[in-house]
């Protein structure tokens, strides 16, 4: 019995010793797995792209601040901006254009002296609203492109009676007015429809707005009927297994064209992390599909006859260069 007990104690001691030696190795292995997971997780959030997209990525030599863009198709894209991000003297507007899908870009500096400028698109027309400091106030001349985006024609002076609104008198004799609405603001928007701060017009049709409701965790598509907006379509916030439920969203862009609707949505999952998705519907908003996108600093999209086109733009300020990415996805057939 004594010998058997000693044998058992010896085997038990060896087993405990072996476990003790393996424990630090196991801790190191778990730490390595954790770092690998974090790296994959971060890459998935920032870089991973759905295989449904075709992607063209090119570095752009530039020293201007991105403001807006017009996408005519996957080959012809025009980017608008200004020389400086903040108000400053001689802040000239800048146009950057590609006609070959981003392989080559032509930069044009518009010979207009502004302190700041913004670009707005209503239907097929692009408006450039300049800002010129004049004593204690500022004046806002408005220009439209004359045949192309390299030459611009003065069309009138904008007045700003409310935050986010410009009224442009295009023809003083007939008092025809163009309403340039930069964003949907609280003064003329029913707050009960959306609780999220992010609201974006469909940039090709101001009768459509995409926004979020944090209370119900819904994305909502609003359609203007008469003088008010009503909920046309809705779907739940995105959920991902490695992240959990999101708690806020900010629409980046929205496009409505007949039965095809598309929106780029930035879902916030933590204080410093957002995931980007393209949501689209081919049946007028009855059902929605989604595709994972990389995270870009600025995004614009358009719907052509047979494709959804996304422009993603990242600016490297200290290096005076940018990176333009064009994503294209065929529109699925019913």
């Amino acid at each position: 019995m004594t010998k058997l007990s000693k044998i058992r104690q010896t085997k038990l001691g060896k087993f405990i010793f072996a476990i003790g030696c393996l424990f630090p190795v196991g801790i190191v292995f778990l730490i390595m797995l954790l770092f690998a997971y974090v790296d994959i997780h971060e890459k998935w959030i920032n870089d991973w792209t759905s295989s449904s997209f075709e992607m063209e990525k090119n570095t752009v030599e530039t020293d201007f601040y991105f403001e807006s863009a017009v996408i005519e198709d996957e080959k012809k894209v025009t980017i608008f901006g200004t020389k400086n991000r903040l108000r400053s003297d001689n802040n000239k507007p800048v146009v950057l254009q590609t006609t070959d899908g981003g392989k080559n870009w032509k930069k044009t500096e518009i010979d207009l002296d502004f302190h700041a400028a913004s670009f707005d698109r209503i239907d097929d027309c692009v408006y450039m609203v300049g800002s010129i400091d004049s004593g204690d106030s500022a004046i806002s001349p408005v220009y439209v492109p004359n045949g192309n985006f390299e030459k611009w024609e003065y069309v009138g002076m904008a007045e700003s009676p409310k935050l986010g609104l410009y009224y442009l008198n295009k023809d003083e004799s007939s008092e025809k007015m163009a309403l340039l609405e930069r964003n949907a603001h609280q003064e003329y928007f029913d707050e009960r429809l959306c609780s999220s701060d992010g609201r974006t017009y469909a940039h090709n049709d101001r009768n459509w707005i995409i926004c979020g409701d944090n209370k119900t965790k819904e994305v909502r598509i609003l359609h203007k009927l008469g003088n008010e907006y009503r909920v046309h379509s809705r779907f739940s916030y995105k959920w991902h297994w490695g992240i959990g439920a999101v708690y806020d969203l900010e629409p980046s862009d929205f496009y409505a064209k007949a039965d095809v609707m598309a929106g780029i949505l930035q879902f916030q999952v933590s204080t410093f992390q957002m995931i980007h998705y393209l949501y689209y519907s081919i049946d007028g908003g009855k059902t929605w599909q989604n595709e994972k996108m990389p995270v870009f600093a600025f995004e614009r999209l358009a719907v052509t006859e047979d494709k959804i086109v996304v422009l993603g733009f990242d600016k490297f300020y200290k290096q005076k260069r940018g990176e333009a990415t064009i994503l294209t996805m065929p529109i699925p057939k019913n």
Side-chain angles (χ1 to χ4, degrees):
M1 290 295 293
T2 302
K3 290 183 179 180
L4 182 60
S5 177
K6 287 182 178 180
I7 292 172
R8 286 176 177 174
Q9 287 176 6
T10 303
K11 288 183 177 181
L12 179 60
K14 289 181 179 180
F15 177 75
I16 293 173
F17 178 77
I19 293 297
C21 291
L22 289 175
F23 186 75
V25 177
I27 293 296
V28 171
F29 180 70
L30 288 175
I31 292 174
M32 291 174 64
L33 282 178
L34 179 61
F35 276 107
Y37 170 78
V38 170
D39 182 61
I40 294 172
H41 188 66
E42 291 294 325
K43 190 172 182 61
W44 185 92
I45 291 175
N46 296 316
D47 302 325
W48 194 83
T49 306
S50 170
S51 59
S52 298
F53 289 114
E54 294 181 5
M55 182 166 61
E56 184 74 37
K57 181 183 292 189
N58 291 281
T59 299
V60 182
E61 295 296 330
T62 181
D63 56 355
F64 76 101
Y65 176 66
F66 180 99
E67 281 277 351
S68 188
V70 169
I71 302 170
E72 297 186 34
D73 53 45
E74 67 270 27
K75 296 295 183 182
K76 189 172 183 180
V77 177
T78 306
I79 299 174
F80 307 98
T82 52
K83 288 182 63 176
N84 300 300
R85 181 174 186 176
L86 302 176
R87 297 179 70 89
S88 63
D89 294 334
N90 194 26
N91 197 6
K92 292 184 180 296
V94 177
V95 175
L96 195 68
Q97 189 174 73
T98 180
T99 57
D100 57 10
K103 294 182 178 64
N104 296 283
W105 294 84
K106 179 182 179 182
K107 178 183 174 183
T108 303
E109 191 173 289
I110 309 302
D111 191 21
L112 294 170
D113 292 338
F114 296 141
H115 289 93
S118 61
F119 297 85
D120 200 10
R121 183 177 181 179
I122 299 178
D123 298 325
D124 293 328
C125 187
V126 176
Y127 291 87
M128 176 170 60
V129 182
S131 180
I132 302 173
D133 293 340
S134 177
D136 296 331
S137 61
I139 57 175
S140 301
V142 181
Y143 295 79
V144 295
N146 184 8
N148 55 47
F149 295 119
E150 296 182 3
K151 295 182 179 180
W152 294 73
E153 179 183 352
Y154 173 78
V155 293
M157 197 67 69
E159 299 177 1
S160 183
K162 289 185 179 181
L163 180 65
L165 286 175
Y166 288 113
Y167 287 103
L168 169 63
N169 196 336
K170 296 171 65 175
D171 186 345
E172 293 182 2
S173 61
S174 61
E175 296 184 354
K176 291 182 179 179
M177 306 289 286
L179 177 62
L180 311 181
E181 297 171 290
R182 297 295 297 165
N183 288 295
H185 284 275
Q186 219 169 352
E187 292 91 342
Y188 56 100
F189 192 88
D190 190 345
E191 187 69 21
R192 293 172 296 179
L193 293 176
C194 302
S195 64
S196 173
D197 291 334
R199 301 166 189 157
T200 298
Y201 284 104
H203 63 234
N204 63 316
D205 189 340
R206 293 304 174 95
N207 292 318
W208 295 92
I209 290 178
I210 187 170
C211 63
D213 191 314
N214 293 336
K215 297 176 183 177
T216 60
K217 294 292 185 279
E218 286 182 336
V219 179
R220 292 182 176 180
I221 312 299
L222 310 181
H223 188 211
K224 191 174 185 179
L225 298 173
N227 294 321
E228 64 178 357
Y229 287 95
R230 299 178 184 177
V231 178
H232 173 81
S233 177
R234 65 184 79 196
F235 52 90
S236 299
Y237 280 15
K238 181 70 181 177
W239 188 95
H240 176 65
W241 63 269
I243 299 173
V246 299
Y247 62 86
D248 196 7
L249 76 85
E250 182 177 344
S252 180
D253 204 2
F254 184 53
Y255 206 99
K257 184 178 181 180
D259 286 337
V260 180
M261 298 180 182
I264 301 175
L265 302 180
Q266 306 174 83
F267 293 100
Q268 189 165 359
V269 297
S270 69
T271 305
F272 303 106
Q273 283 188 327
M274 300 189 80
I275 50 176
H276 291 205
Y277 274 85
L278 171 72
Y279 268 81
Y280 64 93
S281 172
I282 59 174
D283 55 13
K286 295 177 182 177
T287 59
W288 291 85
Q289 306 295 324
N290 64 79
E291 303 290 345
K292 173 73 172 59
M293 286 175 43
V295 175
F296 298 112
F298 303 98
E299 299 155 330
R300 292 294 183 271
L301 65 78
V303 176
T304 65
E305 291 299 322
D306 56 355
K307 292 183 179 179
I308 297 174
V309 184
V310 175
L311 168 71
F313 193 81
D314 288 303
K315 180 71 179 289
F316 305 97
Y317 293 101
K318 294 182 179 180
Q319 301 178 36
K320 292 187 177 182
R321 67 184 181 91
E323 189 172 78
T325 303
I326 298 176
L327 303 173
T328 56
M329 186 188 78
I331 299 174
K333 303 298 182 181
N334 282 322

